[in-house]
Amino acid sequence: MSHKHQTLGEFIIENQSSFKYTSGELSRLINSIRLAAKVVNYEVNKAGLVDVLGAAGDTNVQGEDQQKLDVYANDKFIQTLVNRNIVCGIASEEEDDFISINSTDKNNQNKYVVLMDPLDGSSNIDVNVSVGTIFSIYRRITPVGTPVQIEDFLQKGNEQVAAGYIIYGTSTMLVYTTGDGVNGFTLNPAIGTFYLSHPQMRFPEHGSIYSVNEGNYIHFPQGIKNYIKYCQMEEDNRPYTSRYIGSLVSDFHRNMIKGGIYLYPPSTKNPQGKLRLLYECNPMAFIAEQAAGKASDGTSRIMDILPTELHQRVPFVCGSMSMVEKLESFMRDSQRS
Ligand code: AHG
Ligand code: MN
Ligand code: MN
């Protein structure tokens, strides 16, 4: 079948046998995420019409304002996964602790845990700018049929079996990998079906876009400052173009298509940066590597970090291979001097 007419549902069935473990459980799980994505998409799309705007009057575990849509997306994804009895555990940026599912049911043979950022870029909702959802899937390491434990979630990114994001943008897309490249599906909203629109996505090896919140420049380490100055220098194919949406999913998506680098560096205020290793950096790193890109904390590979806590933050640099390598060389040089 020509990819142009292939739906996500068909793609999942067709590619099921290429998974390492082919019980169909992972396929059912991705199908559930597809369903939750459509429900959240419907809600995001009418955000300006109904009373879903504004703060919910609550803060999440990191003390940030939760938007109503944050809570809604969190609830919808959790409900969908719990109701369909498809995973044994869930961890979410919006939940203080992980959720154990059917922990007392010995017959629960589910092997997978899901970690997610249900609504990424939520400060953009009120101003009609793209937001997203990020998800990351691991096999549990404790025995099936027992309650999940914290170590099932604190695995290196390298152990991910699948990761993806949904971008609620000018069109809604679901982009994911199961370790065999990255494929993007666009939602036809008239009939509620995702179609394969971006097969085998790849970061261009070089790019000319850099994405960073430059308002924090003064607080960045010297290596990052030097790299930003390098991006702005009149030389070779530079200065680069600066593009920063403030929504990791959207900035990443653009950079993957056009070629570019995304940075959320450490700062004097936030020595570990802002982004969360488990809900944001690891899944995006897996997608980046599967798309011939690279993800780093400035010196080492993101997916090699052994997490110590659920809501851990980490400096994050991600994008076109040669650009991330260049940034790492600036970090090394500044540490040497
Ligand atoms: P979230 O909405 O899930 O809290 O994530 C927002 C993240 C990320 O998407 C974005 O790139 C970054 O925060 C923006 O942070 P600044 O406003 O500090 O630049
Ligand atoms: Mn986020
Ligand atoms: Mn979020």
Side-chain angles (χ1 to χ4, degrees):
M1 193 191 299
S2 138
H3 81 75
K4 288 233 160 14
H5 303 285
Q6 195 170 30
T7 68
L8 174 55
E10 289 164 346
F11 181 90
I12 291 170
I13 295 169
E14 215 163 273
N15 289 277
Q16 186 171 311
S17 55
S18 67
F19 300 150
K20 250 193 283 174
Y21 321 94
T22 58
S23 66
E25 196 178 327
L26 185 60
S27 300
R28 289 200 299 281
L29 175 48
I30 292 168
N31 264 321
S32 300
I33 290 172
R34 172 184 68 156
L35 176 66
K38 286 193 235 181
V39 175
V40 172
N41 174 64
Y42 176 73
E43 219 50 45
V44 168
N45 267 266
K46 59 180 182 155
L49 288 174
V50 285
D51 184 29
V52 292
L53 296 179
D58 211 351
T59 51
N60 66 12
V61 68
Q62 287 115 28
E64 296 154 336
D65 276 348
Q66 263 182 330
Q67 301 290 313
K68 281 186 182 170
L69 221 43
D70 276 312
V71 181
Y72 181 87
N74 187 50
D75 292 350
K76 278 299 159 210
F77 274 93
I78 292 174
Q79 259 174 34
T80 310
L81 298 173
V82 171
N83 291 346
R84 294 161 76 93
N85 189 20
I86 205 86
V87 288
C88 52
I90 302 172
S92 161
E93 181 190 282
E94 300 298 338
E95 300 284 330
D96 296 0
D97 211 346
F98 65 84
I99 300 168
S100 178
I101 296 160
N102 289 340
S103 55
T104 50
D105 180 1
K106 296 250 179 317
N107 295 323
N108 180 359
Q109 294 298 303
N110 293 336
K111 293 187 291 291
Y112 295 105
V113 294
V114 173
L115 293 84
M116 62 176 180
D117 176 355
L119 206 78
D120 173 67
S122 46
S123 65
N124 282 331
I125 299 164
D126 285 359
V127 292
N128 210 349
V129 174
S130 303
V131 291
T133 295
I134 308 173
F135 62 91
S136 167
I137 300 172
Y138 295 82
R139 284 171 72 87
R140 63 182 302 174
I141 52 177
T142 56
V144 289
T146 65
V148 280
Q149 306 292 332
I150 184 78
E151 57 262 37
D152 293 316
F153 298 92
L154 299 183
Q155 300 189 50
K156 287 184 184 170
N158 210 24
E159 302 296 332
Q160 287 172 103
V161 293
Y165 59 81
I166 298 120
I167 176 168
Y168 311 99
T170 40
S171 54
T172 293
M173 285 188 69
L174 194 154
V175 174
Y176 79 103
T177 181
T178 51
D180 183 24
V182 177
N183 291 286
F185 301 82
T186 303
L187 182 67
N188 178 341
I191 51 174
T193 304
F194 281 103
Y195 286 92
L196 178 58
S197 52
H198 295 62
Q200 292 298 328
M201 297 178 82
R202 285 174 78 83
F203 273 92
E205 151 104 41
H206 312 279
S208 58
I209 296 172
Y210 73 105
S211 314
V212 60
N213 186 342
E214 259 176 277
N216 296 327
Y217 182 88
I218 195 79
H219 302 293
F220 290 154
Q222 195 55 46
I224 300 285
K225 287 181 176 166
N226 294 347
Y227 179 73
I228 291 175
K229 284 292 158 229
Y230 163 88
C231 293
Q232 299 170 340
M233 220 176 272
E234 184 104 58
E235 213 172 66
D236 303 328
N237 60 339
R238 285 167 286 127
Y240 295 152
T241 297
S242 165
R243 289 283 183 273
Y244 189 72
I245 296 171
S247 165
L248 169 64
V249 167
S250 314
D251 282 307
F252 178 100
H253 186 73
R254 181 207 48 242
N255 290 351
M256 178 159 66
I257 291 173
K258 295 196 166 179
I261 184 169
Y262 174 94
L263 299 94
Y264 209 105
S267 66
T268 37
K269 276 188 299 183
N270 301 306
Q272 290 311 309
K274 175 186 182 189
L275 300 184
R276 298 85 173 169
L277 175 59
L278 298 181
Y279 314 118
E280 293 169 318
C281 304
N282 271 335
M284 293 320 236
F286 189 25
I287 299 165
E289 288 193 9
Q290 283 296 318
K294 190 173 164 89
S296 153
D297 65 359
T299 48
S300 346
R301 183 176 182 237
I302 287 291
M303 292 207 291
D304 284 338
I305 299 172
L306 183 64
T308 53
E309 50 183 315
L310 279 178
H311 297 283
Q312 186 169 341
R313 294 170 194 265
V314 72
F316 190 56
V317 180
C318 179
S320 290
M321 179 73 81
S322 71
M323 297 177 90
V324 175
E325 280 172 354
K326 190 72 184 174
L327 178 133
E328 287 182 331
S329 79
F330 273 87
M331 291 303 286
R332 279 194 300 273
D333 290 350
S334 80
Q335 278 152 9
R336 233 179 271 133
S337 55

